[in-house]
Amino acid sequence: MNRKFYITTPIYYVNDVPHIGHAYTTIAADVAARYRRLDGDDVFFLTGTDEHGQKVQQAAEQAGRSAQAYVDALHKPFKDLWARFNISNTDFIRTTEERHTRVVREILQALHEKGEIYRDSYEGWYCMPDERFWTEKDLVEGNCPECGRKVEKIKEYNYFFKMSQYQEWLIDHIQKNESFILPASRKNEILGFLKKPLEDLCISRPKERLAWGIPLPFDEDYVTYVWFDALINYISIHGSHDEILKCDYWPAAHHLIGKDILTTHAVYWSTMLKAIGISPPLNIFAHGWWTVEGKKMSKSLRNVVEPNLLIDQFGVDVIRYFLMREVPFGLDGDFSHKALIGRVNSDLANNLGNLLNRTLNMLGKYFEGRVPEIDVEGDEDAGLKGKSKEVVEQVNELYDELAYNRILMKIWELLDASNQYINSTAPWNLAKSDDGKKRLATVLYNAAEACRVIAILIHPFMPDTSKKMMQQLGVETPIEDQGLPSIRTWGWLSASAQSKQGEQIFPRIEDKAAEKILATVEVKASGDDGAAAVEEDNLIQIDDFMRLDLRVALILEAEKVKKSKKLIKLKVDLGHEQRQVVAGIAESYEPEQLVGRKVILVANLKPAKLMGIESQGMILAGSDQGKVVLAGFDEELELGARVK
Ligand code: MSP
């Protein structure tokens, strides 16, 4: 039977749009999942969305929608982004799904019956945004110790999970299991936290204060605390209690999380599982946080690294590579466009692209593109093969530690060794004589095999690039079928594969283009939108155009602006939010003609007031001799879909 491998990401709150921090964990999990599949493991990779709780309820209220309609729309940007990023998740869990809520209620009922949950009155300091109670001594200068915001004193009856009784067990478990919490610094942080007495965990919220949650099965006046609900996603995906005990995917190999949610995972989740009678996960890995261009990621700075825009600008694999390569997994890092461009040019274009190109180029020139049979062997060969074996083995060990950046550094050692192999064997000289040609055959076979080994090794990080490399090398067997066994020994590549040089896998970002990108980033990061740089010939660059965020929007309401001949006030729906827009179309349209139409909204336009009414965007229309015609679509498109 194949080895089972289960890996998870946190489930993301839907009241936020997906950002680079979310993408980071999801890509990291995807890399590990893809690698294990290459090794023949049966992989279950779970991600999803956290859809209950105060923040969601408040955000839905602000958007003027029911909580259910809100989460139904808002989980989609996550799903869409993961599809764009080539994420190979097995399932996507939403905590509002019946398959999840059923298991949460079953677990609560069982714990209640076992006496693990009790009712008590509680007075404490409550942090509304974090949805957590704190004791007086936890507070920092009277504020929430986690987010620094104001707390409120609240007294109420609630239900509590007897978490305190598991303190000694948890300390012991952490100490005995080296890799339970990684990196080691995080493990020490939790052991430090556990030096203070552990309190019981409040796991309910009165419905009158918060209605949007899973009702407690034994007291319908309460809903479940969002964290108690959310953490259970990791097992509810596999069914009820009995089904989980039989499920080979549990215990999970890795829960990947950010450092801010370590306590909830290492302490709440582990003790919850202990009480439920299910073993803890094998590893909880807390990664660091990203800053953007040296600054804390604020709402406005997020525009600079909006994942969809980054993909449009640089491509999926560049972003995947950069996030995994730039920072050791576990430490904080900075997302800088300058560093990103540097990596594209040196690691990807110069190094990787160059090795593939020169190999294909010489195969074309000397063997009509056909991979030759090995002929005369030489001194240099053993070095290359030895390096490949060493890299394949060490990469495998580094995956156990999820040391993504070191894995990539190792793979690049093989790249350097391969480029070096070509330099020292000098195929261009060998091609000059008949004897030399026999050696040339071996050299180019080895160079092509090195490219294939590298293509397999980078597959988890850059699946599209890896596929393109295989196509250009003329290898038809799918990468998953070649797998790791095909690179553990040298020489899987069959001679006679028909290679064909295609387009450059990573073109260099030339200085002029790089300067432009950096100038745009500077403007965006300073919060000043500035004017798009216009070339002397009055043409703009594609990235100037891409700065426009055009979206499909549905007109929900339309009404003429009093005392204005031209203006109509609209309410439009973007799928995940609603906007008020004032449009100068009243001379061409009656309000009732507009409701129900799908239009194109410029969604990132600075709000402006027209006749004292705020307009949050602009609708696109064509005009000809005073007649205005709205731009639209001749087929149905999802609300919020990007127009470009
Ligand atoms: N819903 C909870 C998780 C429940 S898991 C049972 C949650 N969601 S979240 O959407 O707020 O955060 C999800 C993840 O994003 C966290 O792991 C958090 O660390 C991560 N990040 C948020 N901002 C980040 C950066 N600036 N950099 C890296 N990761 C960041 O918490």
Side-chain angles (χ1 to χ4, degrees), residues 9-13 19 21-22 24-25 50 227 230-231 233-234 257-261 265 287-291 297:
T9 73
I11 47 172
Y12 304 109
Y13 285 129
H19 58 68
H22 304 135
Y24 183 49
T25 333
D50 193 350
W227 270 102
L231 288 161
N233 89 88
Y234 298 133
I257 57 166
K259 61 181 183 180
D260 56 317
I261 54 175
H265 281 78
H287 65 67
W289 268 41
W290 286 89
T291 50
M297 189 156 61

PDB file of all heavy atoms in Angstrom, residues 9-13 19 21-22 24-25 50 227 230-231 233-234 257-261 265 287-291 297, ligand 1:
ATOM      1  N   THR A   9      -3.322  23.517   5.025  1.00  0.00           N
ATOM      2  CA  THR A   9      -3.051  24.951   5.235  1.00  0.00           C
ATOM      3  C   THR A   9      -4.076  25.426   6.260  1.00  0.00           C
ATOM      4  O   THR A   9      -5.059  24.722   6.505  1.00  0.00           O
ATOM      5  CB  THR A   9      -3.279  25.772   3.951  1.00  0.00           C
ATOM      6  OG1 THR A   9      -4.685  25.879   3.718  1.00  0.00           O
ATOM      7  CG2 THR A   9      -2.596  25.148   2.757  1.00  0.00           C
ATOM      8  N   PRO A  10      -3.886  26.620   6.819  1.00  0.00           N
ATOM      9  CA  PRO A  10      -4.985  27.154   7.640  1.00  0.00           C
ATOM     10  C   PRO A  10      -6.183  27.353   6.719  1.00  0.00           C
ATOM     11  O   PRO A  10      -6.018  27.476   5.501  1.00  0.00           O
ATOM     12  CB  PRO A  10      -4.463  28.519   8.105  1.00  0.00           C
ATOM     13  CG  PRO A  10      -3.017  28.549   7.801  1.00  0.00           C
ATOM     14  CD  PRO A  10      -2.771  27.572   6.694  1.00  0.00           C
ATOM     15  N   ILE A  11      -7.361  27.378   7.294  1.00  0.00           N
ATOM     16  CA  ILE A  11      -8.506  27.764   6.456  1.00  0.00           C
ATOM     17  C   ILE A  11      -8.652  29.279   6.621  1.00  0.00           C
ATOM     18  O   ILE A  11      -8.596  29.805   7.723  1.00  0.00           O
ATOM     19  CB  ILE A  11      -9.776  26.978   6.818  1.00  0.00           C
ATOM     20  CG1 ILE A  11     -10.024  26.940   8.323  1.00  0.00           C
ATOM     21  CG2 ILE A  11      -9.675  25.563   6.272  1.00  0.00           C
ATOM     22  CD1 ILE A  11     -11.360  26.344   8.700  1.00  0.00           C
ATOM     23  N   TYR A  12      -8.775  29.962   5.500  1.00  0.00           N
ATOM     24  CA  TYR A  12      -8.653  31.422   5.510  1.00  0.00           C
ATOM     25  C   TYR A  12      -9.989  32.091   5.790  1.00  0.00           C
ATOM     26  O   TYR A  12     -11.038  31.635   5.330  1.00  0.00           O
ATOM     27  CB  TYR A  12      -8.088  31.882   4.155  1.00  0.00           C
ATOM     28  CG  TYR A  12      -6.770  31.187   3.858  1.00  0.00           C
ATOM     29  CD1 TYR A  12      -6.667  30.217   2.859  1.00  0.00           C
ATOM     30  CD2 TYR A  12      -5.639  31.466   4.619  1.00  0.00           C
ATOM     31  CE1 TYR A  12      -5.468  29.554   2.616  1.00  0.00           C
ATOM     32  CE2 TYR A  12      -4.431  30.815   4.387  1.00  0.00           C
ATOM     33  CZ  TYR A  12      -4.351  29.860   3.386  1.00  0.00           C
ATOM     34  OH  TYR A  12      -3.173  29.209   3.162  1.00  0.00           O
ATOM     35  N   TYR A  13      -9.920  33.197   6.551  1.00  0.00           N
ATOM     36  CA  TYR A  13     -11.135  33.965   6.826  1.00  0.00           C
ATOM     37  C   TYR A  13     -11.639  34.599   5.536  1.00  0.00           C
ATOM     38  O   TYR A  13     -10.858  35.249   4.836  1.00  0.00           O
ATOM     39  CB  TYR A  13     -10.848  35.088   7.825  1.00  0.00           C
ATOM     40  CG  TYR A  13     -10.671  34.636   9.248  1.00  0.00           C
ATOM     41  CD1 TYR A  13      -9.569  35.035   9.987  1.00  0.00           C
ATOM     42  CD2 TYR A  13     -11.617  33.827   9.866  1.00  0.00           C
ATOM     43  CE1 TYR A  13      -9.410  34.636  11.308  1.00  0.00           C
ATOM     44  CE2 TYR A  13     -11.467  33.426  11.180  1.00  0.00           C
ATOM     45  CZ  TYR A  13     -10.364  33.832  11.898  1.00  0.00           C
ATOM     46  OH  TYR A  13     -10.216  33.435  13.187  1.00  0.00           O
ATOM     47  N   HIS A  19      -4.413  37.301  -0.017  1.00  0.00           N
ATOM     48  CA  HIS A  19      -3.216  38.120  -0.251  1.00  0.00           C
ATOM     49  C   HIS A  19      -1.985  37.226  -0.282  1.00  0.00           C
ATOM     50  O   HIS A  19      -2.092  35.995  -0.165  1.00  0.00           O
ATOM     51  CB  HIS A  19      -3.113  39.247   0.777  1.00  0.00           C
ATOM     52  CG  HIS A  19      -3.078  38.797   2.210  1.00  0.00           C
ATOM     53  ND1 HIS A  19      -2.021  38.102   2.748  1.00  0.00           N
ATOM     54  CD2 HIS A  19      -3.992  38.929   3.207  1.00  0.00           C
ATOM     55  CE1 HIS A  19      -2.267  37.856   4.022  1.00  0.00           C
ATOM     56  NE2 HIS A  19      -3.466  38.328   4.315  1.00  0.00           N
ATOM     57  N   GLY A  21       0.309  36.605   1.800  1.00  0.00           N
ATOM     58  CA  GLY A  21       0.545  35.767   2.988  1.00  0.00           C
ATOM     59  C   GLY A  21      -0.209  34.449   2.864  1.00  0.00           C
ATOM     60  O   GLY A  21       0.318  33.374   3.174  1.00  0.00           O
ATOM     61  N   HIS A  22      -1.472  34.527   2.401  1.00  0.00           N
ATOM     62  CA  HIS A  22      -2.255  33.302   2.204  1.00  0.00           C
ATOM     63  C   HIS A  22      -1.621  32.440   1.111  1.00  0.00           C
ATOM     64  O   HIS A  22      -1.525  31.224   1.238  1.00  0.00           O
ATOM     65  CB  HIS A  22      -3.693  33.615   1.776  1.00  0.00           C
ATOM     66  CG  HIS A  22      -4.433  34.528   2.715  1.00  0.00           C
ATOM     67  ND1 HIS A  22      -5.182  35.575   2.273  1.00  0.00           N
ATOM     68  CD2 HIS A  22      -4.531  34.540   4.059  1.00  0.00           C
ATOM     69  CE1 HIS A  22      -5.728  36.207   3.307  1.00  0.00           C
ATOM     70  NE2 HIS A  22      -5.339  35.593   4.405  1.00  0.00           N
ATOM     71  N   TYR A  24       1.359  32.269   0.228  1.00  0.00           N
ATOM     72  CA  TYR A  24       2.635  31.693   0.685  1.00  0.00           C
ATOM     73  C   TYR A  24       2.427  30.298   1.302  1.00  0.00           C
ATOM     74  O   TYR A  24       3.041  29.322   0.895  1.00  0.00           O
ATOM     75  CB  TYR A  24       3.228  32.651   1.717  1.00  0.00           C
ATOM     76  CG  TYR A  24       4.571  32.258   2.255  1.00  0.00           C
ATOM     77  CD1 TYR A  24       5.616  31.904   1.406  1.00  0.00           C
ATOM     78  CD2 TYR A  24       4.822  32.269   3.640  1.00  0.00           C
ATOM     79  CE1 TYR A  24       6.867  31.573   1.917  1.00  0.00           C
ATOM     80  CE2 TYR A  24       6.059  31.949   4.147  1.00  0.00           C
ATOM     81  CZ  TYR A  24       7.081  31.597   3.280  1.00  0.00           C
ATOM     82  OH  TYR A  24       8.316  31.275   3.786  1.00  0.00           O
ATOM     83  N   THR A  25       1.537  30.212   2.291  1.00  0.00           N
ATOM     84  CA  THR A  25       1.307  28.916   2.949  1.00  0.00           C
ATOM     85  C   THR A  25       0.762  27.899   1.958  1.00  0.00           C
ATOM     86  O   THR A  25       1.135  26.726   1.998  1.00  0.00           O
ATOM     87  CB  THR A  25       0.249  29.039   4.073  1.00  0.00           C
ATOM     88  OG1 THR A  25       0.259  30.353   4.576  1.00  0.00           O
ATOM     89  CG2 THR A  25       0.469  28.029   5.146  1.00  0.00           C
ATOM     90  N   ASP A  50     -12.611  29.653   6.375  1.00  0.00           N
ATOM     91  CA  ASP A  50     -13.164  29.738   7.719  1.00  0.00           C
ATOM     92  C   ASP A  50     -14.303  30.754   7.625  1.00  0.00           C
ATOM     93  O   ASP A  50     -14.053  31.937   7.392  1.00  0.00           O
ATOM     94  CB  ASP A  50     -12.026  30.254   8.624  1.00  0.00           C
ATOM     95  CG  ASP A  50     -12.311  30.112  10.097  1.00  0.00           C
ATOM     96  OD1 ASP A  50     -13.466  29.798  10.439  1.00  0.00           O
ATOM     97  OD2 ASP A  50     -11.374  30.305  10.895  1.00  0.00           O
ATOM     98  N   TRP A 227     -12.847  29.362  16.664  1.00  0.00           N
ATOM     99  CA  TRP A 227     -11.627  28.544  16.587  1.00  0.00           C
ATOM    100  C   TRP A 227     -11.910  27.068  16.882  1.00  0.00           C
ATOM    101  O   TRP A 227     -11.316  26.181  16.288  1.00  0.00           O
ATOM    102  CB  TRP A 227     -10.552  29.070  17.553  1.00  0.00           C
ATOM    103  CG  TRP A 227      -9.687  30.091  16.885  1.00  0.00           C
ATOM    104  CD1 TRP A 227      -9.754  31.446  17.032  1.00  0.00           C
ATOM    105  CD2 TRP A 227      -8.642  29.834  15.928  1.00  0.00           C
ATOM    106  NE1 TRP A 227      -8.817  32.049  16.230  1.00  0.00           N
ATOM    107  CE2 TRP A 227      -8.119  31.087  15.546  1.00  0.00           C
ATOM    108  CE3 TRP A 227      -8.102  28.682  15.361  1.00  0.00           C
ATOM    109  CZ2 TRP A 227      -7.075  31.213  14.630  1.00  0.00           C
ATOM    110  CZ3 TRP A 227      -7.071  28.810  14.451  1.00  0.00           C
ATOM    111  CH2 TRP A 227      -6.569  30.060  14.091  1.00  0.00           C
ATOM    112  N   ALA A 230     -13.359  25.922  13.693  1.00  0.00           N
ATOM    113  CA  ALA A 230     -12.439  25.908  12.542  1.00  0.00           C
ATOM    114  C   ALA A 230     -11.394  24.792  12.624  1.00  0.00           C
ATOM    115  O   ALA A 230     -11.115  24.113  11.629  1.00  0.00           O
ATOM    116  CB  ALA A 230     -11.737  27.257  12.444  1.00  0.00           C
ATOM    117  N   LEU A 231     -10.813  24.596  13.792  1.00  0.00           N
ATOM    118  CA  LEU A 231      -9.722  23.608  13.903  1.00  0.00           C
ATOM    119  C   LEU A 231     -10.189  22.203  13.526  1.00  0.00           C
ATOM    120  O   LEU A 231      -9.428  21.399  12.976  1.00  0.00           O
ATOM    121  CB  LEU A 231      -9.153  23.625  15.326  1.00  0.00           C
ATOM    122  CG  LEU A 231      -8.320  24.875  15.655  1.00  0.00           C
ATOM    123  CD1 LEU A 231      -8.190  25.076  17.160  1.00  0.00           C
ATOM    124  CD2 LEU A 231      -6.931  24.778  15.017  1.00  0.00           C
ATOM    125  N   ASN A 233     -11.856  21.338  11.176  1.00  0.00           N
ATOM    126  CA  ASN A 233     -11.876  21.078   9.719  1.00  0.00           C
ATOM    127  C   ASN A 233     -10.848  20.026   9.315  1.00  0.00           C
ATOM    128  O   ASN A 233     -11.058  19.273   8.372  1.00  0.00           O
ATOM    129  CB  ASN A 233     -11.636  22.376   8.938  1.00  0.00           C
ATOM    130  CG  ASN A 233     -10.154  22.646   8.673  1.00  0.00           C
ATOM    131  OD1 ASN A 233      -9.593  22.195   7.679  1.00  0.00           O
ATOM    132  ND2 ASN A 233      -9.512  23.363   9.578  1.00  0.00           N
ATOM    133  N   TYR A 234      -9.732  20.011  10.065  1.00  0.00           N
ATOM    134  CA  TYR A 234      -8.651  19.106   9.671  1.00  0.00           C
ATOM    135  C   TYR A 234      -9.064  17.630   9.765  1.00  0.00           C
ATOM    136  O   TYR A 234      -8.470  16.781   9.120  1.00  0.00           O
ATOM    137  CB  TYR A 234      -7.422  19.329  10.564  1.00  0.00           C
ATOM    138  CG  TYR A 234      -6.826  20.724  10.474  1.00  0.00           C
ATOM    139  CD1 TYR A 234      -6.503  21.443  11.633  1.00  0.00           C
ATOM    140  CD2 TYR A 234      -6.569  21.316   9.248  1.00  0.00           C
ATOM    141  CE1 TYR A 234      -5.939  22.706  11.564  1.00  0.00           C
ATOM    142  CE2 TYR A 234      -6.012  22.588   9.172  1.00  0.00           C
ATOM    143  CZ  TYR A 234      -5.695  23.277  10.329  1.00  0.00           C
ATOM    144  OH  TYR A 234      -5.132  24.525  10.261  1.00  0.00           O
ATOM    145  N   ILE A 257       1.141  26.605   9.116  1.00  0.00           N
ATOM    146  CA  ILE A 257       0.413  27.788   9.622  1.00  0.00           C
ATOM    147  C   ILE A 257       1.366  28.972   9.717  1.00  0.00           C
ATOM    148  O   ILE A 257       2.586  28.794   9.656  1.00  0.00           O
ATOM    149  CB  ILE A 257      -0.174  27.523  11.040  1.00  0.00           C
ATOM    150  CG1 ILE A 257       0.951  27.112  12.007  1.00  0.00           C
ATOM    151  CG2 ILE A 257      -1.259  26.472  11.010  1.00  0.00           C
ATOM    152  CD1 ILE A 257       0.544  27.165  13.460  1.00  0.00           C
ATOM    153  N   GLY A 258       0.818  30.165   9.921  1.00  0.00           N
ATOM    154  CA  GLY A 258       1.653  31.335  10.189  1.00  0.00           C
ATOM    155  C   GLY A 258       1.918  31.417  11.682  1.00  0.00           C
ATOM    156  O   GLY A 258       1.166  30.871  12.491  1.00  0.00           O
ATOM    157  N   LYS A 259       2.967  32.151  12.044  1.00  0.00           N
ATOM    158  CA  LYS A 259       3.399  32.197  13.446  1.00  0.00           C
ATOM    159  C   LYS A 259       2.339  32.770  14.386  1.00  0.00           C
ATOM    160  O   LYS A 259       2.330  32.479  15.566  1.00  0.00           O
ATOM    161  CB  LYS A 259       4.690  33.004  13.558  1.00  0.00           C
ATOM    162  CG  LYS A 259       4.563  34.450  13.118  1.00  0.00           C
ATOM    163  CD  LYS A 259       5.879  35.197  13.238  1.00  0.00           C
ATOM    164  CE  LYS A 259       5.697  36.658  12.865  1.00  0.00           C
ATOM    165  NZ  LYS A 259       6.917  37.440  12.949  1.00  0.00           N
ATOM    166  N   ASP A 260       1.432  33.588  13.848  1.00  0.00           N
ATOM    167  CA  ASP A 260       0.419  34.217  14.698  1.00  0.00           C
ATOM    168  C   ASP A 260      -0.640  33.242  15.185  1.00  0.00           C
ATOM    169  O   ASP A 260      -1.358  33.550  16.130  1.00  0.00           O
ATOM    170  CB  ASP A 260      -0.270  35.362  13.929  1.00  0.00           C
ATOM    171  CG  ASP A 260      -0.866  34.874  12.617  1.00  0.00           C
ATOM    172  OD1 ASP A 260      -0.190  34.099  11.917  1.00  0.00           O
ATOM    173  OD2 ASP A 260      -2.009  35.250  12.293  1.00  0.00           O
ATOM    174  N   ILE A 261      -0.759  32.092  14.534  1.00  0.00           N
ATOM    175  CA  ILE A 261      -1.819  31.169  14.968  1.00  0.00           C
ATOM    176  C   ILE A 261      -1.223  29.874  15.527  1.00  0.00           C
ATOM    177  O   ILE A 261      -1.811  28.801  15.416  1.00  0.00           O
ATOM    178  CB  ILE A 261      -2.859  30.907  13.846  1.00  0.00           C
ATOM    179  CG1 ILE A 261      -2.201  30.419  12.555  1.00  0.00           C
ATOM    180  CG2 ILE A 261      -3.659  32.150  13.562  1.00  0.00           C
ATOM    181  CD1 ILE A 261      -3.215  30.034  11.465  1.00  0.00           C
ATOM    182  N   HIS A 265      -3.162  26.354  17.452  1.00  0.00           N
ATOM    183  CA  HIS A 265      -2.894  25.012  16.919  1.00  0.00           C
ATOM    184  C   HIS A 265      -2.172  24.127  17.932  1.00  0.00           C
ATOM    185  O   HIS A 265      -2.584  22.998  18.186  1.00  0.00           O
ATOM    186  CB  HIS A 265      -2.086  25.094  15.622  1.00  0.00           C
ATOM    187  CG  HIS A 265      -2.938  25.446  14.445  1.00  0.00           C
ATOM    188  ND1 HIS A 265      -3.365  26.722  14.195  1.00  0.00           N
ATOM    189  CD2 HIS A 265      -3.480  24.671  13.466  1.00  0.00           C
ATOM    190  CE1 HIS A 265      -4.123  26.727  13.114  1.00  0.00           C
ATOM    191  NE2 HIS A 265      -4.210  25.495  12.649  1.00  0.00           N
ATOM    192  N   HIS A 287       5.338  29.253   9.973  1.00  0.00           N
ATOM    193  CA  HIS A 287       6.243  30.065   9.155  1.00  0.00           C
ATOM    194  C   HIS A 287       6.168  31.532   9.566  1.00  0.00           C
ATOM    195  O   HIS A 287       5.308  31.931  10.350  1.00  0.00           O
ATOM    196  CB  HIS A 287       5.932  29.896   7.664  1.00  0.00           C
ATOM    197  CG  HIS A 287       4.588  30.403   7.251  1.00  0.00           C
ATOM    198  ND1 HIS A 287       4.246  31.729   7.270  1.00  0.00           N
ATOM    199  CD2 HIS A 287       3.488  29.745   6.809  1.00  0.00           C
ATOM    200  CE1 HIS A 287       3.006  31.868   6.855  1.00  0.00           C
ATOM    201  NE2 HIS A 287       2.514  30.675   6.578  1.00  0.00           N
ATOM    202  N   GLY A 288       7.093  32.305   9.008  1.00  0.00           N
ATOM    203  CA  GLY A 288       7.168  33.723   9.373  1.00  0.00           C
ATOM    204  C   GLY A 288       6.213  34.576   8.564  1.00  0.00           C
ATOM    205  O   GLY A 288       5.398  34.068   7.792  1.00  0.00           O
ATOM    206  N   TRP A 289       6.312  35.863   8.749  1.00  0.00           N
ATOM    207  CA  TRP A 289       5.432  36.812   8.054  1.00  0.00           C
ATOM    208  C   TRP A 289       6.200  37.608   7.023  1.00  0.00           C
ATOM    209  O   TRP A 289       7.368  37.921   7.205  1.00  0.00           O
ATOM    210  CB  TRP A 289       4.791  37.754   9.081  1.00  0.00           C
ATOM    211  CG  TRP A 289       3.480  37.209   9.552  1.00  0.00           C
ATOM    212  CD1 TRP A 289       3.219  35.904   9.848  1.00  0.00           C
ATOM    213  CD2 TRP A 289       2.280  37.931   9.754  1.00  0.00           C
ATOM    214  NE1 TRP A 289       1.908  35.772  10.223  1.00  0.00           N
ATOM    215  CE2 TRP A 289       1.308  37.007  10.177  1.00  0.00           C
ATOM    216  CE3 TRP A 289       1.918  39.268   9.624  1.00  0.00           C
ATOM    217  CZ2 TRP A 289       0.005  37.374  10.461  1.00  0.00           C
ATOM    218  CZ3 TRP A 289       0.622  39.637   9.918  1.00  0.00           C
ATOM    219  CH2 TRP A 289      -0.334  38.695  10.330  1.00  0.00           C
ATOM    220  N   TRP A 290       5.494  37.976   5.975  1.00  0.00           N
ATOM    221  CA  TRP A 290       6.073  38.802   4.922  1.00  0.00           C
ATOM    222  C   TRP A 290       5.803  40.275   5.189  1.00  0.00           C
ATOM    223  O   TRP A 290       4.696  40.643   5.565  1.00  0.00           O
ATOM    224  CB  TRP A 290       5.454  38.447   3.562  1.00  0.00           C
ATOM    225  CG  TRP A 290       5.944  37.149   3.030  1.00  0.00           C
ATOM    226  CD1 TRP A 290       5.394  35.929   3.262  1.00  0.00           C
ATOM    227  CD2 TRP A 290       7.079  36.942   2.192  1.00  0.00           C
ATOM    228  NE1 TRP A 290       6.130  34.966   2.617  1.00  0.00           N
ATOM    229  CE2 TRP A 290       7.167  35.560   1.947  1.00  0.00           C
ATOM    230  CE3 TRP A 290       8.034  37.786   1.624  1.00  0.00           C
ATOM    231  CZ2 TRP A 290       8.168  35.003   1.163  1.00  0.00           C
ATOM    232  CZ3 TRP A 290       9.031  37.230   0.838  1.00  0.00           C
ATOM    233  CH2 TRP A 290       9.095  35.857   0.623  1.00  0.00           C
ATOM    234  N   THR A 291       6.837  41.075   4.939  1.00  0.00           N
ATOM    235  CA  THR A 291       6.613  42.507   4.827  1.00  0.00           C
ATOM    236  C   THR A 291       6.659  42.807   3.327  1.00  0.00           C
ATOM    237  O   THR A 291       7.038  41.936   2.539  1.00  0.00           O
ATOM    238  CB  THR A 291       7.716  43.307   5.545  1.00  0.00           C
ATOM    239  OG1 THR A 291       8.982  42.810   5.106  1.00  0.00           O
ATOM    240  CG2 THR A 291       7.605  43.174   7.050  1.00  0.00           C
ATOM    241  N   MET A 297       2.752  44.738   6.038  1.00  0.00           N
ATOM    242  CA  MET A 297       1.752  44.674   4.970  1.00  0.00           C
ATOM    243  C   MET A 297       0.429  45.304   5.426  1.00  0.00           C
ATOM    244  O   MET A 297      -0.319  44.700   6.188  1.00  0.00           O
ATOM    245  CB  MET A 297       1.536  43.224   4.546  1.00  0.00           C
ATOM    246  CG  MET A 297       0.686  43.108   3.322  1.00  0.00           C
ATOM    247  SD  MET A 297       0.943  41.599   2.402  1.00  0.00           S
ATOM    248  CE  MET A 297       0.491  40.358   3.576  1.00  0.00           C
TER     249      MET A 297
HETATM  250  N1  MSP B   1      -9.064  31.422   9.998  1.00  0.00           N
HETATM  251  C1  MSP B   1      -7.859  31.436  10.738  1.00  0.00           C
HETATM  252  C2  MSP B   1      -7.144  30.110  10.627  1.00  0.00           C
HETATM  253  C3  MSP B   1      -7.941  28.925  11.086  1.00  0.00           C
HETATM  254  S1  MSP B   1      -7.063  27.420  10.823  1.00  0.00           S
HETATM  255  C4  MSP B   1      -7.983  26.279  11.574  1.00  0.00           C
HETATM  256  C5  MSP B   1      -6.945  32.555  10.238  1.00  0.00           C
HETATM  257  N2  MSP B   1      -7.180  32.987   9.014  1.00  0.00           N
HETATM  258  S2  MSP B   1      -6.408  34.210   8.305  1.00  0.00           S
HETATM  259  O1  MSP B   1      -6.985  34.290   7.002  1.00  0.00           O
HETATM  260  O2  MSP B   1      -6.474  35.376   9.120  1.00  0.00           O
HETATM  261  O3  MSP B   1      -4.914  33.877   8.246  1.00  0.00           O
HETATM  262  C6  MSP B   1      -4.468  32.784   7.547  1.00  0.00           C
HETATM  263  C7  MSP B   1      -2.991  32.703   7.488  1.00  0.00           C
HETATM  264  O4  MSP B   1      -2.425  33.822   6.792  1.00  0.00           O
HETATM  265  C8  MSP B   1      -2.293  32.631   8.833  1.00  0.00           C
HETATM  266  O5  MSP B   1      -1.466  31.500   8.840  1.00  0.00           O
HETATM  267  C9  MSP B   1      -1.458  33.885   8.868  1.00  0.00           C
HETATM  268  O6  MSP B   1      -0.249  33.668   9.510  1.00  0.00           O
HETATM  269  C10 MSP B   1      -1.214  34.126   7.393  1.00  0.00           C
HETATM  270  N3  MSP B   1      -0.779  35.490   7.126  1.00  0.00           N
HETATM  271  C11 MSP B   1      -1.496  36.643   7.276  1.00  0.00           C
HETATM  272  N4  MSP B   1      -0.676  37.690   6.961  1.00  0.00           N
HETATM  273  C12 MSP B   1       0.564  37.241   6.631  1.00  0.00           C
HETATM  274  C13 MSP B   1       1.756  37.826   6.184  1.00  0.00           C
HETATM  275  N5  MSP B   1       1.922  39.138   6.095  1.00  0.00           N
HETATM  276  N6  MSP B   1       2.777  36.981   5.854  1.00  0.00           N
HETATM  277  C14 MSP B   1       2.652  35.622   5.905  1.00  0.00           C
HETATM  278  N7  MSP B   1       1.542  35.050   6.319  1.00  0.00           N
HETATM  279  C15 MSP B   1       0.520  35.830   6.790  1.00  0.00           C
HETATM  280  O7  MSP B   1      -6.059  32.959  10.970  1.00  0.00           O
END
